[in-house]
Amino acid sequence: MRRQMNMAETVMCKRAVDNGGWRVGIMLTLKGPAVSEQGLHTVLHLAQERHPILRTKINVKKSGNVSWEEDLELRIPVLKTASKDITAVYKEALKRPLRDGNGLFRVILSEDVEEITDDGSLITNIIFLCDHCGCDGISFNLVVNEIMLGLSDINTLKHLPKLPASEGVEAIGRKVIGNIS
């Protein structure tokens, strides 16, 4: 899938690349067994197969035109941190601009091996970030819920059907107008 952006989408995408744009973020604190980095990568890959936006990147041409491009080889980066102040990590990550050609979605994983609860559970923080030009908060929340579902039971995620790609407002409008006679 590759499509040109309309004016509003172009402005949001350029802002995301130039100076940080608007981020949608979810920070989760989990108590339980350790979240393996490899397990997280596996679940993210399954989520990418289901959600086209997770395998989409922004391309800015020298002319200033912006396009979204689906990249089947794109892998969501998982950054590991051992920071004790996960809120500061979250706030800093919200400020970082996208890089031209990178995906819209990022994950930060922080396990505090020193913070083990009385029952032996480990505290793990996971930060999910997406640029607002890629999805809104409600859609993003649904994607994160599916990822968390996959972390708890990967077989459930394996059996969910793939979703259709977003066609964009103009393509949908052409279909609707074309169907009105």
Side-chain angles (χ1 to χ4, degrees):
M1 171 183 91
R2 183 181 192 147
R3 72 175 183 87
Q4 288 300 117
M5 304 279 129
N6 66 34
M7 183 58 79
E9 292 170 323
T10 298
V11 169
M12 287 186 76
C13 290
K14 281 185 180 178
R15 182 168 163 77
V17 172
D18 292 344
N19 62 2
W22 298 281
R23 299 280 177 273
V24 180
I26 296 176
M27 182 174 64
L28 301 174
T29 299
L30 309 173
K31 177 183 164 188
V35 175
S36 90
E37 188 176 358
Q38 182 57 41
L40 182 56
H41 276 291
T42 301
V43 169
L44 289 171
H45 180 70
L46 288 171
Q48 280 183 286
E49 288 178 358
R50 183 166 152 70
H51 296 279
I53 196 66
L54 297 181
R55 54 182 189 265
T56 300
K57 59 186 179 180
I58 297 174
N59 285 320
V60 182
K61 302 201 172 34
K62 289 182 182 178
S63 65
N65 291 336
V66 178
S67 66
W68 276 1
E69 185 175 327
E70 187 173 354
D71 181 352
L72 300 177
E73 302 300 316
L74 183 69
R75 295 292 167 252
I76 296 171
V78 176
L79 306 164
K80 284 191 82 169
T81 181
S83 175
K84 295 245 183 252
D85 189 358
I86 196 66
T87 304
V89 171
Y90 176 72
K91 287 178 180 177
E92 184 60 34
L94 286 172
K95 295 177 189 174
R96 281 191 216 125
L98 292 174
R99 290 194 174 85
D100 186 22
N102 283 357
L104 302 173
F105 197 82
R106 285 170 283 195
V107 178
I108 300 172
L109 176 64
S110 173
E111 291 179 339
D112 191 347
V113 293
E114 295 175 12
E115 190 174 342
I116 298 178
T117 62
D118 293 338
D119 64 358
S121 298
L122 184 68
I123 301 297
T124 303
N125 293 294
I126 304 178
I127 298 172
F128 298 94
L129 295 164
C130 185
D131 200 276
H132 186 53
C133 68
C135 69
D136 63 11
I138 295 170
S139 302
F140 184 59
N141 189 35
L142 294 172
V143 170
V144 171
N145 281 334
E146 283 186 22
I147 291 169
M148 296 310 296
L149 178 66
L151 285 174
S152 64
D153 181 10
I154 198 161
N155 288 320
T156 303
L157 193 59
K158 285 181 179 178
H159 299 295
L160 292 174
K162 292 182 181 175
L163 298 172
S166 170
E167 297 181 72
V169 175
E170 284 136 358
I172 293 169
R174 275 188 238 108
K175 282 184 181 178
V176 170
I177 292 171
N179 291 333
I180 299 174
S181 337

